[in-house]
Amino acid sequence: MNEVPETDQRCGFVAVVGAPNAGKSTLVNALVGTKVSIVSPKVQTTRFRVMGIAMVGEAQVVLVDTPGIFAPKKRLERAMVAAAWGGTNDADHICLLIDAAKGYDDESRAIVDKLKETKRQAILVLNKVDLVKRDKLLGLTAQLDAEGIFTDVFMISALKGDGIDDLLAHLGKLVSPGPWMFPEDQVSDLPQRLLAAEITREKAFIALYQELPYSLHVETEKWEEKEDGSARIDQVIYVERESQKPIVLGKAGRQIKSIGASARQELEELLERRVHLFIHIKVREDWSEKRGHYSEIGLDFDS
């Protein structure tokens, strides 16, 4: 499977952590070079750990995209934060991503305090530096460096791709000698069915930004390979109340058609083939309190 000798291979896990909306998923996608984790302007879009796999020469860097870390109130939020810290605890290295435009806020400070408590060091990655004046950026860097837990500092714009190559090269040097954990051409640990559901959830999050997203869940119910090489994908968007169905449908069904069209287009680009996407809306009352839902996406119901 692998062309390089096993003794020359390197591999390691790097957790990407940070407050909600710091840009973690955007960074992981940029480092991998393709989309493995969904992105939206809404905070807490990522609900579970997603692994993105980046190759740097003979080094395989397994990036663990984690949910945003914040003070949770609901069961789903507690499970998301537990998954984030679980990804950090299991990783060989940690990148703490901080939104430079927001600065060193309370959420980032709480993460730093937790890393201190667990005696973990991290690489400081300041994101969105293109939005911050140089003097403010230098002051922020000095403030964070004084915490004493950062081994290196990188300034990037995950959205624009600035600084990504330098960060990836550094991570490639950090990981330890050892066999690769995944095939060389694999970019994520997500099964295609789950990735497809996540893409539709992203489009719904974007379309329903002000109205619904946290009450919404998407599942791929059926995946059929067609003789012409295309794929038929049947999905269900679950909402928690009957009154939420019309919001997803939109007037004359225009909202759900728009969500489906956007999802289908991206799926065709990712799968490099034609996709027939069929989306239905169903009510699953209080899905965020159902134990089975958590096991499906790898979250701990009892967190």
Side-chain angles (χ1 to χ4, degrees), residues 138-245:
L138 292 175
L140 176 61
T141 304
Q143 182 185 14
L144 285 158
D145 190 51
E147 295 288 0
I149 65 165
F150 298 111
T151 58
D152 303 273
V153 180
F154 288 85
M155 299 185 185
I156 69 162
S157 170
L159 189 60
K160 293 184 176 181
D162 298 339
I164 297 298
D165 290 344
D166 290 342
L167 175 58
L168 184 57
H170 180 72
L171 297 177
K173 293 175 183 176
L174 271 186
V175 296
S176 303
W180 296 341
M181 300 293 293
F182 299 93
E184 186 176 3
D185 58 353
Q186 186 171 337
V187 296
S188 174
D189 69 327
L190 276 189
Q192 283 190 332
R193 293 170 68 102
L194 185 52
L195 179 58
E198 283 291 275
I199 285 172
T200 300
R201 185 166 70 90
E202 176 193 70
K203 304 311 177 189
F205 261 44
I206 294 170
L208 304 168
Y209 178 61
Q210 299 292 344
E211 298 152 294
L212 193 63
Y214 294 120
S215 300
L216 184 148
H217 171 60
V218 182
E219 290 182 10
T220 299
E221 282 200 326
K222 185 179 178 182
W223 187 303
E224 182 184 353
E225 300 290 343
K226 310 294 284 186
E227 289 185 2
D228 63 0
S230 65
R232 174 186 170 124
I233 303 172
D234 290 80
Q235 295 181 331
V236 177
I237 294 179
Y238 287 103
V239 293
E240 291 189 305
R241 295 185 298 278
E242 193 70 36
S243 61
Q244 294 170 338
K245 286 178 68 176

Side-chain angles (χ1 to χ4, degrees), residues 268-285:
E268 288 184 335
E269 291 173 0
L270 282 172
L271 299 173
E272 298 182 337
R273 55 184 167 139
R274 192 177 178 193
V275 169
H276 310 277
L277 180 62
F278 297 87
I279 302 176
H280 307 280
I281 307 169
K282 294 182 182 180
V283 177
R284 181 185 281 176
E285 291 187 6

Side-chain angles (χ1 to χ4, degrees), residues 17 69 85 88 96 98 104-122 143-144 146-150:
V17 301
I69 297 174
W85 282 119
T88 304
L96 173 57
I98 289 182
Y104 194 20
D105 58 13
D106 290 342
E107 288 178 328
S108 295
R109 195 179 300 275
I111 297 170
V112 169
D113 289 343
K114 180 77 171 183
L115 291 173
K116 284 183 178 180
E117 182 183 318
T118 54
K119 295 180 169 54
R120 293 297 303 269
Q121 290 187 308
Q143 182 185 14
L144 285 158
E147 295 288 0
I149 65 165
F150 298 111

Side-chain angles (χ1 to χ4, degrees), residues 250-270:
K251 189 174 181 180
R254 283 195 288 268
Q255 187 70 274
I256 190 65
K257 287 179 182 176
S258 175
I259 292 169
S262 296
R264 180 183 56 78
Q265 181 179 351
E266 183 154 328
L267 282 167
E268 288 184 335
E269 291 173 0
L270 282 172

Side-chain angles (χ1 to χ4, degrees), residues 28-39:
V28 170
N29 290 340
L31 289 168
V32 174
T34 190
K35 188 166 194 169
V36 296
S37 194
I38 67 171
V39 179

Side-chain angles (χ1 to χ4, degrees), residues 29-55:
N29 290 340
L31 289 168
V32 174
T34 190
K35 188 166 194 169
V36 296
S37 194
I38 67 171
V39 179
S40 91
K42 197 78 173 177
V43 298
Q44 303 154 31
T45 301
T46 302
R47 285 181 175 162
F48 52 89
R49 282 181 282 178
V50 177
M51 291 185 188
I53 302 147
M55 297 301 302

